[in-house]
């Protein structure tokens, strides 16, 4: 799932299995309905008039992310893999910046599963990539666990962090690769910690 340049997005009740990027929420340099900006004259050279007429900021803000199950496998060649969840900041054309914390109103009750690396015992796939601090230069932190992410950011209360050896404890059966989706059964087993662990859906999502 990717969310960029949009506000008030509600990401609820998704099952994401074996994707290289499960959840990517990001900002880019475009702002206020402007596709291209002249930094010398400080004017927009490529406006998108409909967005401007509606007063759209094109900023990624007020995102809610709850009740998602995200599974990430280690790449077979043991090279570095993307974090399960990514919140990517950017310096915008007008010099403003939207940091990771500015993108979200709430994140909680999600379930993360990660495989061990192939032929090893460590879990080098990170939980989250999160931008914080100053905008010059933009820097990010990689979190090894949900608890570390929660302690540092205040997000992800009541979320689940599980690791295993190619056996996801939540599903009846999860294929070993994203191409195995038709052979997978994503129904939750009775012992899954994710069972009945979500928050109620907002009325507009449930409708």
């Amino acid at each position: 799932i990717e969310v960029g340049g949009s506000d008030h997005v509600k990401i609820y009740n998704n099952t994401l299995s074996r994707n290289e990027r499960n959840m990517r929420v990001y900002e880019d340099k475009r702002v206020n309905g402007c596709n291209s900006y002249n930094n010398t004259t400080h004017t927009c050279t490529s406006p998108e008039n409909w967005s401007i007429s509606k007063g759209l900021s094109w900023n990624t803000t007020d995102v809610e992310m709850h009740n998602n199950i995200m599974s990430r496998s280690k790449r077979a060649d043991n090279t570095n893999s993307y974090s399960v969840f990514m919140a990517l900041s950017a310096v915008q054309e007008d010099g403003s910046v939207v940091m990771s914390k500015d993108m979200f109103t709430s994140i909680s009750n999600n379930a993360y599963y990660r495989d061990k690396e192939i032929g090893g015992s460590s879990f080098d796939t990170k939980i989250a990539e999160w931008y914080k601090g100053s905008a010059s230069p933009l820097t990010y932190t990689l979190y090894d666990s949900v608890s570390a992410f929660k302690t540092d950011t205040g997000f992800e209360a009541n979320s689940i962090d599980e690791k295993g050896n190619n056996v996801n404890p939540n599903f009846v059966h999860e294929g070993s690769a994203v191409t195995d989706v038709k052979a997978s059964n994503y129904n939750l087993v009775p012992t899954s910690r994710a069972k009945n662990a979500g928050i109620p859906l907002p009325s507009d999502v449930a409708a």
Side-chain angles (χ1 to χ4, degrees), residues 63-74:
V63 176
E64 301 174 17
M65 186 178 118
H66 302 278
N67 303 357
N68 302 287
I69 300 177
M70 295 170 277
S71 171
R72 182 71 173 90
S73 57
K74 180 66 179 71

Side-chain angles (χ1 to χ4, degrees), residues 69-83:
I69 300 177
M70 295 170 277
S71 171
R72 182 71 173 90
S73 57
K74 180 66 179 71
R75 286 179 55 164
D77 58 6
N78 265 346
T79 59
N80 290 334
S81 54
Y82 293 104
S83 299

Side-chain angles (χ1 to χ4, degrees), residues 130-149:
W130 190 263
Y131 284 71
K132 60 180 186 176
S134 66
S136 181
L138 280 174
T139 57
Y140 62 85
T141 299
L142 296 174
Y143 295 93
D144 290 316
S145 67
V146 166
S147 62
F149 181 75

Side-chain angles (χ1 to χ4, degrees), residues 27-134:
E27 190 55 87
D28 60 26
K29 64 182 182 179
R30 302 173 306 149
V31 64
N32 294 328
C34 182
N35 283 303
S36 183
Y37 197 81
N38 187 312
N39 290 311
T40 302
T41 62
H42 303 289
T43 57
C44 179
T45 58
S46 180
E48 202 287 298
N49 292 324
W50 186 87
S51 293
I52 294 173
S53 71
K54 299 298 183 182
L56 301 182
S57 70
W58 284 9
N59 287 337
T60 303
T61 56
D62 297 299
V63 176
E64 301 174 17
M65 186 178 118
H66 302 278
N67 303 357
N68 302 287
I69 300 177
M70 295 170 277
S71 171
R72 182 71 173 90
S73 57
K74 180 66 179 71
R75 286 179 55 164
D77 58 6
N78 265 346
T79 59
N80 290 334
S81 54
Y82 293 104
S83 299
V84 181
F85 162 49
M86 307 165 76
L88 310 181
S89 299
V91 177
Q92 297 175 308
E93 294 275 20
D94 64 355
S96 62
V97 61
V98 177
M99 303 301 286
S100 297
K101 67 179 178 59
D102 302 322
M103 299 179 186
F104 296 89
T105 56
S106 56
I107 310 172
S108 74
N109 297 78
N110 298 295
Y112 297 81
Y113 170 79
R114 294 170 287 165
D115 279 342
K116 294 180 180 179
E117 69 176 17
I118 307 301
S121 58
S122 66
F123 300 88
D124 70 343
T125 298
K126 307 301 182 183
I127 284 292
E129 179 178 334
W130 190 263
Y131 284 71
K132 60 180 186 176
S134 66

Side-chain angles (χ1 to χ4, degrees), residues 8-9 15 60 62 77 107 124 128 149 153 162 170 173 181 201:
H8 294 89
V9 177
T15 297
T60 303
D62 297 299
D77 58 6
I107 310 172
D124 70 343
F149 181 75
T153 68
E162 296 179 302
N170 294 301
H173 174 70
V181 61
L201 291 178

